[in-house]
């Protein structure tokens, strides 16, 4: 009787609350479980990615990097809102960029045969050989009937510019920089600065305009790249084929996007940052 009066009531309540909390946690975990049917329905809507078809087993293995079902549900929700750019969309973007930005600067090409390819422009990229920039530089050339020999890395670009000064060949009508996705704009800005810095005087003296094209960009990225180009005394323009709408941000600066509430969004963001830190500093 004395124990119940002094201590028992609080201990019994604590024990009962613990059981209730455990039951509610288990219920939440069961509710959050991502079923095999959900995964299969998702992957059937996905196109091939880099010539590979992503299957349900790969998605399940990716989700299993986290033991808690509620965290797996947050990851799965991000997968449900991924947007893929199809090859047709990419080609249309690159053709439109050429028509709106490049063609007015260099003029039209007279085609006499289907095999004719333009050779009076140079195309380059800022992220090194074997990366996405080189891939989309090739896509740009193919989409706009430009010879693949016009795609130059940094070393080849310097050699060709020196060749112009030695009167070995005439200057191109434009130097085109191609990139895929511009987020904060930091990477492309630094890449453009590293590319243009050593050759700015040559581009200016030879009156070669620099035209930068990106498939997709944020507004922030567009401003940063434009500002980076404006620091050089050359004719330049940055053209993003598409400005990313807020609906394509997993964690928008305002609003909650596709999340149920702000708490869910912040939990998902913290989780993605934790996982992302293991991949990138």
């Amino acid at each position: 009787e004395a124990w119940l009066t002094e201590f028992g009531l609080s201990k019994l309540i604590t024990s009962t609350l613990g059981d209730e909390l455990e039951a509610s946690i288990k219920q939440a975990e069961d509710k959050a479980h991502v079923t095999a049917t959900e995964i299969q329905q998702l992957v059937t809507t996905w196109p091939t990615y880099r010539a590979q078809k992503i299957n349900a087993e790969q998605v399940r293995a990716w989700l299993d990097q986290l033991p808690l079902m509620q965290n797996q549900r947050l990851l799965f929700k991000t997968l449900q809102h991924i947007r893929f750019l199809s090859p047709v969309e990419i080609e249309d973007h690159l053709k439109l960029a050429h028509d709106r930005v490049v063609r007015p600067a260099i003029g039209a090409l007279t085609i006499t045969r289907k095999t004719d390819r333009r050779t009076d422009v140079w195309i380059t990229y800022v992220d090194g050989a074997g990366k996405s920039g080189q891939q989309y530089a090739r896509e740009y050339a193919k989409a706009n009937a430009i010879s693949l020999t016009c795609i130059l890395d940094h070393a080849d670009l310097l050699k060709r510019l020196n060749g112009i000064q030695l009167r070995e060949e005439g200057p191109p009508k434009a130097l085109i920089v191609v990139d895929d996705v511009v987020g904060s704009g930091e990477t492309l800005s630094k890449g453009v600065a590293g590319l243009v810095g050593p050759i700015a005087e040559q581009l200016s003296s030879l009156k070669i305009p620099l035209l930068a094209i990106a498939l997709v960009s944020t507004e922030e990225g567009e401003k940063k790249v434009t500002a980076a180009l404006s620091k050089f005394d050359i004719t330049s323009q940055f053209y993003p084929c598409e400005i990313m709408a807020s609906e394509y941000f997993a964690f928008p600066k305002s609003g909650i996007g596709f999340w149920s509430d702000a708490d869910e969004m912040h939990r998902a963001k913290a989780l993605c940052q934790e996982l992302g830190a293991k991949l990138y500093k």
Side-chain angles (χ1 to χ4, degrees):
E1 181 182 358
W3 180 83
L4 286 171
T5 303
E6 296 294 328
F7 310 105
L9 185 61
S10 62
K11 288 186 177 293
L12 289 171
I13 290 174
T14 302
S15 177
T16 304
L17 284 174
D19 291 341
E20 290 177 353
L21 284 171
E22 185 178 352
S24 65
I25 291 171
K26 187 178 186 307
Q27 185 179 6
E29 283 284 284
D30 291 341
K31 185 179 179 181
H33 175 65
V34 181
T35 66
T37 302
E38 287 181 294
I39 296 175
Q40 190 60 44
Q41 288 175 343
L42 176 64
V43 297
T44 54
T45 65
W46 285 358
T48 55
Y49 179 69
R50 294 185 175 179
Q52 291 187 349
K53 182 66 177 175
I54 306 300
N55 60 44
E57 290 183 5
Q58 291 171 299
V59 173
R60 174 63 73 187
W62 186 72
L63 294 176
D64 283 344
Q65 67 183 305
L66 297 172
L68 294 179
M69 296 297 177
Q70 293 180 70
N71 287 340
Q72 290 191 11
R73 173 59 64 178
L74 293 176
L75 286 187
F76 186 69
K77 199 163 186 177
T78 63
L79 294 184
Q80 289 177 305
H81 291 84
I82 287 178
R83 176 191 169 197
F84 290 88
L85 282 179
S86 69
V88 174
E89 284 181 286
I90 292 171
E91 184 177 356
D92 287 345
H93 276 338
L94 295 176
K95 285 182 177 179
L96 185 62
H98 185 79
D99 290 341
R100 288 187 175 179
V101 180
V102 181
R103 197 186 303 278
I106 66 175
L109 173 68
T110 302
I111 299 289
T112 57
R113 295 174 299 177
K114 288 184 178 181
T115 56
D116 284 350
R117 292 293 180 269
R118 190 160 207 152
T119 59
D120 56 353
V121 295
W122 294 349
I123 306 170
T124 191
Y125 41 90
V126 299
D127 57 359
K131 300 290 184 68
S132 59
Q134 184 182 37
Q135 174 191 343
Y136 289 108
R138 293 177 64 86
E139 295 291 338
Y140 176 84
K142 290 178 182 178
N144 296 293
I146 299 171
S147 173
L148 296 180
T149 60
C150 296
I151 301 173
L152 310 174
D153 60 21
H154 290 197
D156 289 335
L157 181 60
L158 289 171
K159 289 179 183 177
R160 296 284 289 270
L161 281 171
N162 291 333
I164 291 173
Q165 293 185 324
L166 295 172
R167 299 183 181 277
E168 294 176 5
E169 60 177 320
K173 292 183 177 179
L175 174 61
I176 304 165
V177 179
V178 182
D179 204 0
D180 53 358
V181 178
V182 178
S184 67
E186 196 71 31
T187 301
L188 185 55
S189 296
K190 289 181 178 177
V192 165
L195 171 73
V196 178
I199 61 174
E201 288 188 13
Q202 291 168 294
L203 293 178
S204 179
S205 63
L206 295 168
K207 296 182 180 179
I208 302 173
L210 185 144
L211 308 173
I213 294 169
L215 286 173
V216 181
S217 174
T218 63
E219 289 185 7
E220 177 189 358
E222 180 187 20
K223 291 176 182 176
K224 186 165 284 189
V225 175
T226 300
L229 287 171
S230 67
K231 294 178 182 178
F232 299 98
D233 187 23
I234 60 173
T235 301
S236 63
Q237 183 178 353
F238 174 54
Y239 179 80
C241 301
E242 179 181 338
I243 295 293
M244 255 190 274
S246 59
E247 65 191 271
Y248 297 123
F249 285 82
F251 310 110
K253 291 182 179 179
S254 61
I256 59 173
F258 53 75
W259 304 102
S260 302
D261 51 48
D263 176 63
E264 184 184 57
M265 182 184 75
H266 291 309
R267 286 191 294 114
K269 184 175 182 179
L271 182 63
C272 288
Q273 288 176 329
E274 179 185 343
L275 294 174
K278 298 174 183 177
L279 302 175
Y280 298 98
K281 293 181 180 179

